[in-house]
Amino acid sequence: MPVTEQQVVEALRPVLDPELHISIVDLDMVKGVRVEGGRVTVTVALTVAGCPMQTELRQLVTGAVGPLDGVDDVDVDLTVMTEAELNAVRDKMRARSPRAGASGGGHGQGQARLGHEEGRPNVFMSPDNRARVLGITSGKGGVGKSSVSVNLAVALARQGLEVGILDADVYGFSVPKMLGIDHKPVVIDDMIVPPVAFGVKCISIGFFVDDDQPVMWRGPMLHKALEQFLVDVYWGDLDYLIVDMPPGTGDVALSMAQYLPTSEVYVVTTPQAAAQRVAQRSAYMAKKINLPLRGVIENMSWFTGDDGKRYWLFGEGGGESLASDLGVPLLGQVPLVPAMREGGDVGQPVSAVDPRGEATAAFDALAGEIVARGPSRVFRPELTIR
């Protein structure tokens, strides 16, 4: 008995667009199904011409339809969406995002807004947005802050959580390379769809400038870039947004206090006393801008030799001493592991590719600590002040 068009459509419903990560049926990307005996032809409309994921999409469609009874061959015809169809896709994606509050006016009421001149919604300021924003900072460069951010994000995603990472280190962007992402985000009208790697959505200025191009911006440009990354990017319904902040206490930290007032700050340091003293500045910055400092993460804590012994190459106790001085917990200690550096260089985070490794165990424990401690501020959307 030949397969029906409806059976084919239902078989395609679990197929997710490789870039948008939403069902191709729900997005109306399936434009036609033709059944001729045992041959089935499926017409799928791409969001952009020359989509880099079209080979993967063909394979997904073929893999979903091929096993159906009565199907001998599957052909996949690809076309491109019209502007009206793209607008419909954008509207459907926005409808799936957490609401930025009910429409309405008044300062502090109704829709959470970002940018006085545009009034665009910032879903991260909405009381009914569940995402915890974790700002990963350090007093200076070279302590492995970005490596910690990336591997923490991957560790959280491995727990089944929805995770995004915002590379706010505009001058020293490195997160896309560490995640092995080599293609740019999809842009639908004014919506940016972030690439996904190892279960982590990622946005970075690195997608919009050449790798060897220096970013020479003053404060207002940094402010605007962070704004666009928050309001124009389709983040979906995140559990965690990791923000890889620049080292030090500059403009991005001030913008976070304004745009992401529910942020939690975590300071990355190394064991030596010099790094500890510099890291204190980032911690005091968080307090000055009224962002809660939740804990200290010590990186490069020790090296485990072939003899099984731990060697404290950069000293010992710096992270614990810093945490004690700041009155916050030392949440985790990450060992010095060559595979962590090597993985960052080739886009294979150690937390993803070495699930039984010493560093992965440290990041899993760190992620568990952060999840267990819960958010620093609890918002109740049903409680309002009138």
Side-chain angles (χ1 to χ4, degrees):
M1 184 174 180
V3 70
T4 67
E5 293 183 11
Q6 185 59 38
Q7 287 175 318
V8 172
V9 171
E10 289 305 313
L12 291 171
R13 195 171 295 280
V15 174
L16 306 183
D17 178 270
E19 294 180 305
L20 307 183
H21 304 281
I22 299 175
S23 166
I24 61 174
V25 174
D26 293 344
L27 289 176
D28 290 333
M29 294 176 66
V30 179
K31 297 302 180 184
V33 174
R34 188 170 69 252
V35 178
E36 297 172 325
R39 178 179 292 276
V40 176
T41 302
V42 180
T43 301
V44 178
L46 302 173
T47 55
V48 291
C51 171
M53 299 291 188
Q54 56 183 284
T55 300
E56 182 178 349
L57 184 58
R58 285 182 185 273
Q59 294 171 345
L60 291 171
V61 171
T62 301
V65 177
L68 295 176
D69 291 338
V71 175
D72 299 322
D73 294 297
V74 180
D75 290 332
V76 182
D77 290 340
L78 299 180
T79 183
V80 180
M81 287 188 172
T82 65
E83 184 176 350
E85 289 170 336
L86 277 175
N87 289 337
V89 167
R90 179 200 60 198
D91 293 342
K92 286 185 178 184
M93 294 177 69
R94 282 183 172 157
R96 297 170 66 96
S97 295
R99 297 293 181 183
S103 60
H107 182 72
Q109 297 182 24
Q111 197 174 45
R113 296 190 177 276
L114 184 57
H116 294 295
E117 73 283 1
E118 293 152 304
R120 291 179 293 168
N122 172 12
V123 297
F124 293 103
M125 291 180 70
S126 171
D128 53 357
N129 186 288
R130 70 182 185 184
R132 285 177 63 186
V133 181
L134 313 182
I136 311 299
T137 187
S138 64
K140 65 183 184 69
V143 299
K145 169 185 57 62
S146 294
S147 294
V148 168
S149 297
V150 167
N151 282 284
L152 173 59
V154 172
L156 288 167
R158 287 177 63 236
Q159 295 188 15
L161 298 163
E162 291 292 325
V163 182
I165 185 167
L166 194 166
D167 187 358
D169 193 351
V170 174
Y171 299 126
F173 54 87
S174 58
V175 170
K177 183 177 181 180
M178 287 184 172
L179 285 170
I181 300 173
D182 57 5
H183 60 280
K184 296 184 182 298
V186 173
V187 179
I188 303 175
D189 194 14
D190 60 351
M191 176 186 290
I192 302 171
V193 182
V196 179
F198 305 103
V200 178
K201 298 176 181 178
C202 172
I203 198 68
S204 169
I205 195 65
F207 292 131
F208 305 99
V209 300
D210 293 334
D211 195 45
D212 58 353
Q213 178 181 341
V215 178
M216 297 180 291
W217 289 351
R218 294 187 185 274
M221 285 292 289
L222 294 172
H223 201 67
K224 195 69 176 177
L226 183 60
E227 175 187 23
Q228 188 169 2
F229 286 164
L230 293 175
V231 302
D232 288 345
V233 172
Y234 173 74
W235 289 108
D237 197 7
L238 294 182
D239 294 300
Y240 289 87
L241 176 67
I242 309 292
V243 183
D244 181 27
M245 299 171 62
T249 57
D251 295 292
V252 170
L254 297 174
S255 295
M256 277 190 64
Q258 178 180 345
Y259 289 165
L260 297 167
T262 61
S263 301
E264 310 167 22
V265 175
Y266 297 81
V267 176
V268 178
T269 187
T270 48
Q272 63 265 47
Q276 172 194 344
R277 289 192 294 271
V278 176
Q280 282 181 326
R281 301 169 193 161
S282 290
Y284 294 145
M285 170 274 300
K287 293 182 178 181
K288 281 185 174 292
I289 60 178
N290 199 31
L291 293 181
L293 178 65
R294 299 300 306 279
V296 171
I297 303 166
E298 185 183 85
N299 194 25
M300 309 182 205
S301 296
W302 64 80
F303 173 76
T304 303
D306 294 337
D307 56 3
K309 290 178 58 178
R310 288 183 176 180
Y311 295 88
W312 309 88
L313 302 180
F314 299 108
E316 187 176 357
E320 186 175 1
S321 176
L322 175 62
S324 177
D325 290 345
L326 297 173
V328 297
L330 175 63
L331 294 177
Q333 292 176 286
V334 180
L336 179 62
V337 177
M340 186 168 164
R341 190 272 303 165
E342 294 163 359
D345 287 344
V346 299
Q348 296 286 308
V350 68
S351 289
V353 300
D354 188 14
R356 297 185 179 180
E358 186 180 22
T360 302
F363 282 113
D364 286 345
L366 173 62
E369 280 287 329
I370 290 174
V371 171
R373 290 175 182 274
S376 56
R377 297 167 177 169
V378 178
F379 291 86
R380 298 288 298 276
E382 67 272 19
L383 299 179
T384 58
I385 298 176
R386 300 186 183 277

